[in-house]
Structures are given as structure tokens and as C-alpha cells.
Amino acid sequence: MNPLIPLLAGAALVVPAGANTTVMTDKGAVRGTTTAAGTRSFQGIPYAAPPIRWTSPRPAAPWTGVRDATRPGPACAQPAGLPVGVPSDAEDCLYLNVTTPAGATKSGGVTTSGGERNRLPVIVWIHGGSMMFGTGDMYRPDRLAADAVVVSMNYRLGVMSFLTHPALDSGSPHGSGSLAIEDQQAALRWVRSNIRAFGGDPANVTIMGQSGGGYAVCDHLAAPGSAGLFHRAIIQSSPCAGSDGGTRTRSAAEADSTAVIKAVGCEGAPDVGACLRSPGISTASLLAAYGAWNEPRPVAGTSLLPLSPAEAFRTGRFNRVPVLIGVNHDEENGRYAVAPPIAAEAYEPTVREQFGPRSEAVLARYPLSDHDNSAGLALATISTDRGWAVPTYQTAELLTRWTSTHMYEFAERDTPWFVGYPAPDFPWRAQHMSELAYLFDLDLFEPRSAAQNRLASRMVATWTRYAAEATPGWAPFQPGSPHVQSLTSGRWTSTEFRHDHKLHFWTHLPH
């Protein structure tokens, strides 16, 4: 049991009011803290009631007095696994966090040098972790919150969000299988109702996510019920137009759930839904049955998500707000940088196993000699180009037909590595998640160097500028002029993205 549950899941705590750290929400007052970084932090604010299993989020109950908002809420139930995971069996987990500049007042806005008050842009961070792992609070946003109000939330993950069965459909007006998106919509509605009290502008909200969180951003772009809850979108390392986009079919979701229902003993129950929700079925048993390495997605073809993001972007039937989308130059380097290293002689057999009759073309285009004779580096490059760069570029192509779109590639070669993990046998460079070390302060990564801090400052300024003005400071991605900005510690320039990632080869390789 998470030790924070007794503190945050019960009645509100009455604490002394602090200078500029007590804010009134629509459910009651909360008291946060002023941080050493010069921000105000409010953590563990309930944006919905403790959820009933596989049931849509419900409004949080009001409280009296002043609620302690100095500690994060419990992590949503998740197994042990990825470094971004926080093992937990908590089902009461629908809490969010707000970080504001210390100058933001409860009457709204910040005081400028001229004495007037301006409301700040709002950034709502949707954490990644394959929609299986993670918490909002682990991404400390103090640097982003120098010029914006930053909100993060916990939302239901894995089996507690995505289990799909007809017996569970009555728990949501949209049917089962997509509660993570419903939770996030509830958090966005909380932002709309309350963020003004924290100095933020409810009419200028940017949703921002990476990996699994980026796929969620794609889903909100496609979700009719998310219309009007945000005004810009930032998608990081989430190629929504790819085969592994932001949704899956109902049949795929049910197939993924069948083994879980059988494993916990509910397959033959007279009422499968009642069995799954019964106290005798523990959260731990559900997590164990679901496993740690699924890649769940919400279900498309429902009232929540009538279309997949790819189809919504292709047809223009989505929430047409400005979008900043990007990918990392070396997404798969961390995955293939294993110990012991992959033997050079294993390269060709691995490619042949993956690509079958197309393997000769792939081997000719990606000779081992072009990759320092490292099988791991060559395989990582193939996977990055095919699975990340190409579909991200295609996503930008779809979006720019309908809305303002900017694209970047994070291409820094000297990035922090994960704390406590052995260094790879080849340079990890701009691997998956590496840009997060520059946008947030994360205990996951080794400390940044002075040079890395300079790049971090520039990226934070760019992201907050986008939230404020819908432009990052470079040319848009447009038909006939598909500008992709390379972000490195050197000069930021347009990158030869199509050539670098062999887009012509992959788009013309027979299936």
C-alpha cells in the first residue's frame, strides 16, 4: 500500500495558511508550498473522486477547511518494470499537481515590471510510460513554470484503464477500454474550472505529452469530448500516424483482456463485471495477470474516439489547434544498447528474421560498415527510421493540411544517461526520453553538465514560447516546404530529415 494513501485519500487536512500558498478551488481551499526554485507547488489535488473499478471518473467531493497540498497523490496502480515506473496497487489515484511562478497570485496572473497583472499560459503535462507506468509528479517542472502554469496528473494505467469486456461496458457511456483518456479529460475540465485561481489562463491551455503521453495528446486531438479543453498541442516521440498509433480496435482490446479475466478466475462467472469488481479480486492479481510489457491503447470506433488519430488527421475531423510535433534522432539506441553487445554476426540473421523477403533491400541500405560494425547501432538505426522518424513525418504531413504545424528533431549527441544503469556499448545520443532531461528535472537521469544546462534553458524557453504564442521560433512544416528544426547544443538549423532517415526507401519498400 502506498504510504501516502492515508494522508491524501481521506478527509482534508486543516493546516496553517501560508503567504500566497493558499488557493481556493471549486471544491475547497488548498495550501501548497514555495519551492527553493522560486515556484509555488500544489500537489495531490483531487480532480475526481476515488474511482470505482472500470467506471468513468466522477466529480470529487468538496471539503471544508484547507487541504494539505504539499505532497503528491499516490501513483496509479502499475507493476514493476520501466525506470519511469512507480510500483503501486493504489486505485484511489486521480490527483493532479500545479506549479506556478512564485509571483502568481491567487487573484490571478503575475505582476509585471509595470505593475499590471497578466495571466499565464497553461501547460498540461501528460506523462509517458507506455500507458502502463509513471506519475505526473516525478517530472519536476520548476523551469517550465518560470513563465507558465504547469499541471500534471496521474491517470489510470494498464489493466485498470484498458481492460475491455462487454460486462464492463456499463461503467462508461463510451464502453470499456479507454478510461485513461476519460481521466485526462476530467483533469482538463478541472483546469478549465480552476486554473484562473492559480494565475493561469483557461483560454490558453497547451496539452503536452511524450511517448504514451504523446499518444494521449493525439487521442485528445481526435476526441470530440476534448474540444475546447485545450488550445495547442505538443507531441513528443509519438508517431500517431504509424501502425502503433494512439488507438486500437475493440477486438484487439478484448483479445488482450481475455487471458486476464481467465487468470483471475472470472471467465465463467455468472456476472463477469461483478466478479472483476469484487473485493476478492485484488489489484495485485490483476496487475500480475496483465503483465508488465503490454502497450495498451484506447479503443477507436466509440463515442469517445470515433476515429483513430491517423484517420482523424487524414480526414480533417479533429480538434484543429496548432501542433508542435517532434521525434528524437536516435529513439531506439537505448533499446539496442544491451550488455553484452549484440554480436556483429547476428546482424544479418536478425534483419532476415524481421524483414523476410525485404531483407536484401534493408541490408543493402543499412550495411553494417556504415554503423561502426556495431549490430546494435545498425539495428537501432533501422528501428528508429522505420518505426519513429517515418511515421512522425507522416503525422506532420497529415496535420499540416488542416492546422498550423511545426516539427522538430531532438538531435543532441551528448545527453545524460539513466542513473543506476550500466552505460551502453555504443553512444546512446538522442535516445527515447532523452529530451525530457532538458525540459524537466528528473531523478531518472544523471545531472546535466553546464553545456547541457544551456541547451535545457533554450528548450524550456522554446516550449513556453510555443505555449504562449503558438510558434517555437522557426518556420512551420508546410506542404512543399516541410521544415524540420534540429535541436542540438550547437546552432539550430533545418535538418535533412528525409535524407537522414531514408524516408523514400521506407515509403517505397514493398510490404
Side-chain angles (χ1 to χ4, degrees):
M1 181 66 71
N2 189 305
L4 294 177
I5 293 175
L7 293 173
L8 293 173
L13 303 178
V14 178
V15 296
N20 204 27
T21 58
T22 301
V23 173
M24 180 61 71
T25 76
D26 61 354
K27 302 300 182 184
V30 294
R31 176 181 176 270
T33 58
T34 301
T35 71
T39 61
R40 293 185 306 154
S41 172
F42 303 83
Q43 297 186 308
I45 303 173
Y47 67 85
I52 299 170
R53 280 186 185 175
W54 301 296
T55 299
S56 296
R58 299 163 299 130
W63 58 85
T64 58
V66 182
R67 185 184 181 96
D68 179 26
T70 62
R71 287 168 290 192
C76 286
Q78 57 192 277
L82 295 181
V84 293
V86 181
S88 170
D89 63 0
E91 296 189 48
D92 178 7
C93 64
L94 302 185
Y95 299 90
L96 56 73
N97 317 292
V98 182
T99 307
T100 78
T105 69
K106 61 185 178 183
S107 62
V110 294
T111 302
T112 68
S113 59
E116 62 272 13
R117 297 196 186 281
N118 290 329
R119 296 201 177 278
L120 293 167
V122 180
I123 298 174
V124 178
W125 168 246
I126 304 175
H127 72 78
S130 301
M131 296 190 177
M132 287 282 294
F133 302 96
T135 66
D137 61 274
M138 72 169 59
Y139 300 83
R140 297 193 303 279
D142 295 285
R143 291 176 297 114
L144 278 172
D147 296 298
V149 175
V150 182
V151 179
S152 65
M153 88 286 285
N154 294 349
Y155 56 91
R156 279 173 284 184
L157 303 162
V159 67
M160 307 313 296
S161 169
F162 299 106
L163 199 69
T164 307
H165 189 275
L168 299 177
D169 285 346
S170 61
S172 166
H174 310 295
S176 55
S178 304
L179 289 171
I181 302 304
E182 292 192 53
D183 290 347
Q184 292 161 20
Q185 286 179 336
L188 289 168
R189 289 193 292 270
W190 184 96
V191 169
R192 181 176 60 189
S193 298
N194 292 283
I195 208 64
R196 181 180 294 271
F198 294 85
D201 184 354
N204 186 7
V205 175
T206 296
I207 56 173
M208 166 183 169
Q210 181 266 349
S211 193
Y215 286 122
V217 172
C218 295
D219 293 332
H220 289 295
L221 286 166
S226 298
L229 295 177
F230 64 98
H231 312 92
R232 324 211 195 296
I234 300 175
I235 304 169
Q236 299 174 211
S237 297
S238 308
C240 307
S243 58
D244 185 29
T247 58
R248 58 182 173 175
T249 65
R250 170 77 185 212
S251 60
E254 287 189 357
D256 193 39
S257 303
T258 299
V260 177
I261 295 169
K262 181 178 181 179
V264 299
C266 290
E267 183 182 37
D271 187 333
V272 172
C275 178
L276 288 166
R277 293 188 175 103
S278 69
I281 305 299
S282 68
T283 311
S285 67
L286 289 162
L287 292 173
Y290 198 70
W293 305 115
N294 284 321
E295 292 275 351
R297 297 285 184 267
V299 175
T302 69
S303 55
L304 181 71
L305 287 163
L307 302 174
S308 69
E311 184 62 19
F313 300 166
R314 186 174 295 111
T315 59
R317 289 180 284 175
F318 67 97
N319 300 314
R320 298 186 196 175
V321 302
V323 177
L324 172 62
I325 184 170
V327 68
N328 292 357
H329 185 275
D330 312 290
E331 291 277 1
E332 291 285 323
N333 277 25
R335 185 191 300 269
Y336 282 93
V338 296
I342 301 171
E345 53 268 22
Y347 175 59
E348 183 175 332
T350 302
V351 172
R352 292 192 182 282
E353 181 180 357
Q354 289 184 7
F355 292 97
R358 300 177 296 163
S359 57
E360 290 296 340
V362 175
L363 289 167
R365 201 73 172 96
Y366 292 84
L368 195 59
S369 58
D370 283 359
H371 304 279
D372 299 327
N373 289 314
S374 167
L377 184 56
L379 291 168
T381 304
I382 291 171
S383 295
T384 294
D385 290 355
R386 179 196 186 202
W388 296 91
V390 172
T392 299
Y393 189 92
Q394 291 171 337
T395 304
E397 286 183 313
L398 293 176
L399 286 166
T400 198
R401 299 175 188 172
W402 310 101
T403 192
S404 169
T405 305
H406 290 81
M407 184 173 171
Y408 73 86
E409 178 178 57
F410 180 73
E412 176 59 18
R413 297 172 68 87
D414 180 21
T415 59
W417 182 243
F418 294 103
V419 171
Y421 284 77
D425 67 297
F426 59 79
W428 56 89
R429 296 173 181 158
Q431 60 146 346
H432 192 63
M433 290 184 64
S434 58
E435 88 283 12
L436 298 180
Y438 296 80
L439 294 169
F440 298 95
D441 294 313
L442 278 154
D443 293 334
L444 295 170
F445 294 103
E446 298 285 353
R448 294 183 301 270
S449 67
Q452 290 166 347
N453 275 331
R454 288 191 290 273
L455 176 56
S457 295
R458 188 172 183 189
M459 288 182 63
V460 164
T462 300
W463 261 239
T464 53
R465 173 180 176 173
Y466 189 82
E469 304 174 7
T471 177
W474 61 78
F477 186 104
Q478 295 178 322
S481 181
H483 181 98
V484 181
Q485 189 83 346
S486 178
L487 310 185
T488 71
S489 55
R491 182 169 171 262
W492 288 12
T493 62
S494 175
T495 179
E496 295 294 331
F497 192 89
R498 291 182 58 86
H499 177 267
D500 190 18
H501 294 288
K502 303 174 177 57
L503 265 70
H504 184 271
F505 171 77
W506 288 110
T507 53
H508 291 83
L509 187 68
H511 293 287

